[in-house]
Amino acid sequence: MQSIAQLEKDRAGVINSLPDWSKIVRGSMRKYYGTCGNKGCRCHKDKKHKHGPYWYVAAQFGVGKQKVYLISKKHIKEAKAGMKAYNELWDKLCKISTINLEILKAKKHG
Ligand SMILES: [Zn+2]
């Protein structure tokens, strides 16, 4: 079994490597092609000529509630980085929790 000191050191390491959470984005990115308001436009005649791609992030709020956010092309990278940071943060929070549980277990036996 790992010592409490070692677990605390591991925990400090995880905390020091947390991503910048000021930029986090939670959701999934999708793209779509669409038709415009001009009925005479070729996008209405042929699927190949639909406009796009347009990108959006779909975010879930509770059960069955979803909000969609259109993302402009120049901000796709930023949105993706935010999603990566979210996943990394979540992963690391779980790691910290596991370490804390191990510490509590070690204390009980110690
Ligand atoms: Zn069109």
Side-chain angles (χ1 to χ4, degrees):
M1 200 163 81
Q2 280 181 294
S3 69
I4 290 174
Q6 183 58 51
L7 287 163
E8 284 173 347
K9 206 180 147 206
D10 290 350
R11 183 177 61 188
V14 176
I15 289 168
N16 283 332
S17 69
L18 289 175
D20 177 6
W21 54 354
S22 68
K23 301 276 169 64
I24 66 165
V25 170
R26 176 175 159 270
S28 44
M29 190 165 314
R30 293 178 196 143
K31 68 175 172 179
Y32 76 98
Y33 296 82
T35 51
C36 66
N38 178 4
K39 294 279 176 203
C41 180
R42 62 181 188 169
C43 70
H44 288 275
K45 292 175 193 127
D46 191 343
K47 274 184 188 168
K48 277 194 304 202
H49 295 305
K50 278 190 175 182
H51 303 280
Y54 300 106
W55 296 84
Y56 65 90
V57 171
Q60 305 289 335
F61 297 96
V63 181
K65 283 183 200 160
Q66 182 181 269
K67 196 168 174 184
V68 163
Y69 298 86
L70 205 62
I71 308 291
S72 66
K73 199 176 174 188
K74 65 176 178 178
H75 294 121
I76 291 170
K77 224 174 158 183
E78 191 180 331
K80 281 185 176 169
M83 288 160 71
K84 190 172 170 256
Y86 174 85
N87 289 330
E88 197 183 329
L89 187 62
W90 183 249
D91 186 54
K92 286 181 175 173
L93 287 179
C94 291
K95 272 188 188 140
I96 293 167
S97 174
T98 302
I99 291 169
N100 285 337
L101 287 168
E102 290 292 333
I103 289 171
L104 287 167
K105 194 173 116 189
K107 278 179 180 167
K108 188 188 161 202
H109 293 294

